[in-house]
Amino acid sequence: MGLRKAAGPLISETMDVRPMFQALHMAVDENITFFRDNPSETAKRFVLAFVKIQEHARSLEPTINNFSSVYHIFDFDMGTPANGYRSLMKVVNACLQHIIHKSRYVAANCRSVFFRASHNCAELEAYCMALTQLRALVYFAQRLLTANRHGNLFFEEDERLSEEFLRQYSTMHKGCFYGRCLGFQFTPAIRPFLQTISIGLVSFGENYKKHESGISVAASSFFTSGKYAIDPELRGTEFERITQNLDVNFWKNFWNITEMEVLASLANMASTTVRVNKTLSIPPNTFELPLAADPQLTVTITPPVAHTGPGPVHMRLISYELREG
């Protein structure tokens, strides 16, 4: 496996995160001032969550500034500003933006008689836990950055560091990312879909070992999915257990559940039937494709190459209408 080298002396870009952290500290301070004088148990939980968020923010601000000055080194080229360090910083920023939004909402509505204190406190605690785990990942990224030679993404020699990273990663609490915080780094439109998939997954996993036939697992999962829909913390804990303990056969059975004859027939009755639904396999052969701008010119399309070499591309053609061609 080749090592990913830096593309060259690309242009440095420094992200100014001071306005974001200033907004976070202002919202957090306002909430701490309000809830500190409240003797209720929920108010104490609010204060504890806000204090932890503030602590993480003070640690993350200089770190994010440092990363923003160096992660351009690992971009593929100037036109492709993407690498793992960038992705991690964007996820951290997304988490902080959600915390700012929720903190402002709490500050604006905490005096209302319709304010759901327990619900909002649980959401803040969940994002605080997510920020805790992201801070640990940022620390791992710092170790990786300083342990490698300039421009290298992977360890070259010291296997002990790789083993240490894997050992520390296994101790992280990852369930918080699959509960209330599920999909926070994506657009809000996709979150209901992700929640549906996660609820189905944990329900299927609970009944996977109890039944032999796929339809029995699917039926039992349908009746047990309710508790995971109303309890995000339970869903996150079960999701983490499944991803760590169940074998590859579970994943094959789960993703193939819609291919079962009974469920396929139900889908045909409940939805519109497509006219074309065929599996195709494109052989790994190089071919010439004419350019849309000038059909006299062509571009060479080479087959995708993975670790095992060139291989066919498997796909499914689905069309509502049957067309000629």
Side-chain angles (χ1 to χ4, degrees):
M1 180 178 179
L3 299 176
R4 173 71 170 93
K5 298 286 187 179
L10 303 181
I11 299 175
S12 174
E13 53 176 89
T14 302
M15 182 192 309
D16 187 7
V17 295
R18 287 176 299 176
M20 179 179 67
F21 280 98
Q22 288 173 358
L24 176 64
H25 288 303
M26 288 179 59
V28 167
D29 287 337
E30 183 178 356
N31 283 292
I32 291 177
T33 302
F34 175 81
F35 288 106
R36 182 170 287 163
D37 298 329
N38 192 321
S40 67
E41 190 63 32
T42 303
K44 294 178 181 177
R45 288 168 54 197
F46 266 119
V47 172
L48 182 60
F50 281 122
V51 169
K52 287 183 177 179
I53 288 170
Q54 207 166 45
E55 176 190 344
H56 293 319
R58 291 194 180 101
S59 173
L60 284 170
E61 182 173 3
T63 305
I64 294 177
N65 278 323
N66 292 336
F67 268 108
S68 67
S69 64
V70 297
Y71 54 36
H72 66 281
I73 296 173
F74 302 96
D75 292 338
F76 184 76
D77 54 36
M78 291 182 63
T80 313
N83 60 71
Y85 293 123
R86 281 185 182 271
S87 299
L88 178 58
M89 293 302 106
K90 287 187 177 295
V91 172
V92 173
N93 287 345
C95 185
L96 291 170
Q97 293 288 356
H98 276 277
I99 291 174
I100 293 172
H101 175 76
K102 177 56 66 175
S103 299
R104 287 173 172 171
Y105 174 84
V106 171
N109 296 274
C110 58
R111 295 172 178 83
S112 172
V113 294
F114 301 105
F115 179 66
R116 296 189 296 167
S118 297
H119 169 77
N120 286 283
C121 183
E123 286 205 344
L124 269 171
E125 289 173 334
Y127 277 103
C128 179
M129 177 62 71
L131 190 62
T132 303
Q133 305 308 310
L134 289 173
R135 181 182 173 185
L137 287 176
V138 170
Y139 167 75
F140 294 159
Q142 277 186 306
R143 290 282 310 277
L144 183 66
L145 191 64
T146 57
N148 290 337
R149 294 181 183 177
H150 180 74
N152 287 349
L153 280 176
F154 303 103
F155 293 128
E156 290 185 344
E157 299 174 355
D158 197 344
E159 296 182 358
R160 292 175 298 176
L161 284 175
S162 298
E163 295 173 356
E164 180 185 350
F165 279 127
L166 291 175
R167 184 171 59 254
Q168 293 186 11
Y169 176 76
S170 65
T171 64
M172 292 180 61
H173 174 66
K174 297 174 283 293
C176 59
F177 295 108
Y178 307 111
R180 296 180 188 271
C181 303
L182 179 66
F184 69 87
Q185 69 272 37
F186 302 119
T187 177
I190 202 175
R191 288 178 205 156
F193 171 74
L194 295 177
Q195 289 178 350
T196 302
I197 294 295
S198 65
I199 292 171
L201 177 65
V202 295
S203 303
F204 191 83
E206 180 182 355
N207 297 279
Y208 176 66
K209 297 293 185 180
K210 300 178 182 178
H211 305 279
E212 293 183 359
S213 65
I215 188 62
S216 299
V217 178
S220 300
S221 302
F222 175 79
F223 291 108
T224 59
S225 61
K227 63 181 180 181
Y228 295 114
I230 63 177
D231 192 341
E233 282 73 26
L234 178 63
R235 181 172 72 235
T237 302
E238 186 67 10
F239 198 107
E240 182 177 12
R241 182 192 69 83
I242 288 172
T243 54
Q244 290 182 344
N245 298 323
L246 293 184
D247 55 18
V248 67
N249 290 324
F250 162 78
W251 296 100
K252 291 172 61 179
N253 289 330
F254 175 71
W255 291 116
N256 289 332
I257 189 173
T258 56
E259 303 295 332
M260 290 191 303
E261 184 176 353
V262 175
L263 293 182
S265 61
L266 290 175
N268 289 334
M269 290 187 292
S271 60
T272 304
T273 303
V274 296
R275 299 293 300 276
V276 180
N277 185 5
K278 297 182 63 177
T279 56
L280 304 175
S281 179
I282 300 179
N285 300 327
T286 301
F287 62 93
E288 301 293 325
L289 186 67
L291 295 178
D294 186 358
Q296 301 299 323
L297 302 177
T298 61
V299 60
T300 302
I301 306 299
T302 57
V305 179
H307 299 292
T308 56
V313 177
H314 302 288
M315 61 181 65
R316 183 182 293 272
L317 175 63
I318 301 176
S319 176
Y320 176 71
E321 296 181 7
L322 180 61
R323 298 183 175 90
E324 294 185 5

